[in-house]
Amino acid sequence: MEKDLGPMGEDALRGLNAEQLEAVTTTEGYVRVIAGAGTGKTRTLSHRFAYLVNELGIFPGNILCVTFTNKAANEMRQRIHRLTGDDDTGYVNTFHGFCVSVLQEDSYAVGYPKNFLVLDNSDIDAMLRIIYEERGLSLRDMTFSRARDMFEMRKCVSERDYFRLMVGPSADELHERYLSATKVEDILFYGYLYQQKKCFGLDYNDLIVFTLHVFASNAEVRGKWQGRLEYIMVDEFQDIDPLQYELMEVLQAHHRNLFVVGDPDQTIYTWRGADIRFLLEFADRFSPCKTIELKRNYRSTPQIVSVANDLISKNTIRYRKTLSTVTPSGLAVRGHHAHSSADEAAWIAERIAELHAGSLEEGRNPVDYRDITILYRAHYVTRAIEEALVKRKIPYVIYSGVQFFERSEVKDALSYLRVVCYRDDLSFMRIVNRPKRNVGEQRMRFLREFAAGQRISLLEALRRSLDDPFFRGTSAREFVQMVDRYSADASHRTVSELLARLLDESGYELALRTEGSQERLDNLAELRQSIYEYETSCGEEATLERYLTHVALFSNIDQGMERDKVRLMTVHAAKGLEFPHVFVAALNEGVFPSRKVRSREGMEEERRLAFVAMTRACKGLYLVDAEGAAQEGIPRYPSRFMLDLKPGLVEFDEPLPDSLVAEARDYYRLSDSKIAAAERLRSAPRFKVGERIRHRVFGVGSVREVDEGRRAYLVKFDDMGTMRTITFRVPLERVE
């Protein structure tokens, strides 16, 4: 007979497997749960919270449950509410959200009002504009993106005591430091702190740093929060960073009830500070510790789990475990090697159409579009996929991004082509001041009024106004001359050549490089590739006018209100989600894994990212790559994440040619050797100034300088009249 909990909600122990039950009911001390993909960690956390409340009588307000996104926190609160029947769900929040609660309650400890401002990137950029204008700086000195990264580095690593300047009684000292600074980094940093102080604004880094400062400097406040939080639970512990780890250490110090859940195989955020060692070494730091493994996957078929297990087993930095599955056998994992990106996209679109129609050979039940997701490593790979989906009239939506032809830089590039072709006002208004030509709002207002009065286009209005003193100090004349020149001979150039010249001569591409916008540059490279493919397929009919008509079909798609759509998203955006059918696109070496990998640890993170992608799938998993020329002219080989899988785990439409596999493996080895060489180059210097060393050619000498920036020694060799600069990567021996 089931227990009737009445208003208290559902039974917190109902439906748990043995390992989940152990995790839920082990309430005291240090507990580490290694929860594999799809093993029910969110369920375990929610039921543990409910068990503490319903069965042990703990007040929700005495429990802290930390997760990493607001969405996950909202879902957790809803689950807990259903289980406890209580509107009070305690502190179920992100780290930053919890810190806001602390600082609002105890803001007096830092001299800030309770209604302090939490800053986002747009707020920070607005402050940077003020500083740049006041001190005569430009983006050539430092881009906004680099400035924000620099702020984070100084606040979290090199200048952890910066907050002392912000919690003082006045902003005078900060203002003085700002005015007296001469280095660009110091001007921006102290100027930003001063702007923050003036408006009582805190950014995300400040929230944790200020909370730690309050706890370190005010024993009464620290003791209050430590006493209040009798039980602490941390979700996604593999993604925790050093500041969050430090905060957790402080909070658990009184009751010592700390419960962490995570999966080292899903650590994919080291680039933003996550440290896999915090979970791997948890039992060493917090002792005695009980470790519980959740290995029963409830999400995916045996076929998908087998592929994921085999993939992640290649990593060395991990907690060794093997997922099992309780779901029945399902579809084979499909692999497809396409001859081009267009063929890859067409194959994906065709399989989706077959799934939706219920005509796919492996299963005859129609699949809703919403149950199909396409995952990829970077947004720029979606261009060909979007075109193929549109061609087949398959509705889709892009998550965590915008459709390819709606992206700002793509629309800008197409507007340059349009203004050359059509001289239209819409394109003119979009790009006349991109990049900056000092044709701002006042001058645009003048042009609009002049054009309206004369019944001419804005471009013509600008041409007639070039000698007006109002346009002195602008680059308007160069812009008009560029448009006129390329309009006159557009018919004699290919579209791809025309675009390349426009982006170069206009300074648009240089402006993106100056901003450090690599993803936007990648999107422009993908646009050029799409134009080249269009020209190849259309031959002499590939005129500028025809191309712009062709591309308008993609850039003006009616999104409508239809909810049944295929979802497109990056793997990072898919973390924590699951989908019945998953296509992993562009599984090419240099794309996934990324060409930016510079270390073995980085390659292992890419493999973890691929593991995350594969374990999002419940019923069907499709792994796809394409031949062709990569953006940097390197031949595109299938990803090692496909070829390293055991034979038979993936069913390919056609067996991969032995010659292709051999070439790919040779390329992997070459890539790995470059990574190893780069690691040696980045390694810490082995020798100090004054030490005696031996070079295999130059003989014995003394180290005079160590240049860590260039990763080199300046050495005076005994048998040579002048000194030599020797890189760290060259083997040297110490002479005793």
Side-chain angles (χ1 to χ4, degrees), residues 159 173 227 249 329 364 476 501 580 662:
E159 294 187 42
E173 185 179 352
E249 278 192 302
S329 183
R364 298 291 179 179
R501 288 178 176 269

Side-chain angles (χ1 to χ4, degrees), residues 337-341 529 533 588 625-631 633-637:
H337 175 69
H339 296 296
S340 68
S341 295
Q529 179 66 18
E533 291 173 4
N588 286 94
D625 80 287
E627 291 181 11
Q631 292 179 6
I634 302 171
R636 283 171 55 135
Y637 294 110

Side-chain angles (χ1 to χ4, degrees), residues 125 129 132 138-149 408-409 412 433-436 507-521 524:
D125 288 351
R129 290 187 191 97
Y132 277 53
S138 71
L139 292 176
R140 292 184 182 277
D141 295 297
M142 186 177 293
T143 65
F144 283 7
S145 176
R146 279 189 58 205
R148 292 196 302 268
D149 290 344
S408 175
E409 61 277 5
D412 288 346
N433 210 36
R434 295 189 186 182
K436 297 290 185 184
Y508 185 83
E509 198 159 24
L510 176 61
L512 292 189
R513 294 190 188 282
T514 303
E515 293 174 12
S517 304
Q518 185 58 49
E519 182 173 339
R520 299 178 70 188
L521 289 167
L524 289 182

Side-chain angles (χ1 to χ4, degrees), residues 432-433 437-441 443-444 447 462 471 474-476:
V432 67
N433 210 36
R437 298 185 176 92
N438 208 18
V439 184
E441 186 52 40
R443 291 185 172 94
M444 283 301 301
L447 290 176
L462 179 59
F471 285 88
T474 73
S475 300

Side-chain angles (χ1 to χ4, degrees), residues 553-567:
L553 298 174
F554 299 104
S555 58
N556 294 304
I557 299 167
D558 180 12
Q559 293 300 303
M561 296 302 292
E562 186 180 6
R563 295 181 179 178
D564 188 23
K565 298 179 180 181
V566 174
R567 289 174 281 196

Side-chain angles (χ1 to χ4, degrees), residues 13-24 39-40 43-44 292-298 326:
L13 303 182
R14 181 183 301 162
L16 301 175
N17 65 33
E19 295 80 18
Q20 292 170 340
L21 181 64
E22 183 181 15
V24 166
T39 57
R43 177 183 179 84
T44 301
I292 301 167
E293 297 180 15
L294 303 184
K295 297 187 291 187
R296 277 192 264 184
N297 179 288
Y298 291 88
V326 298

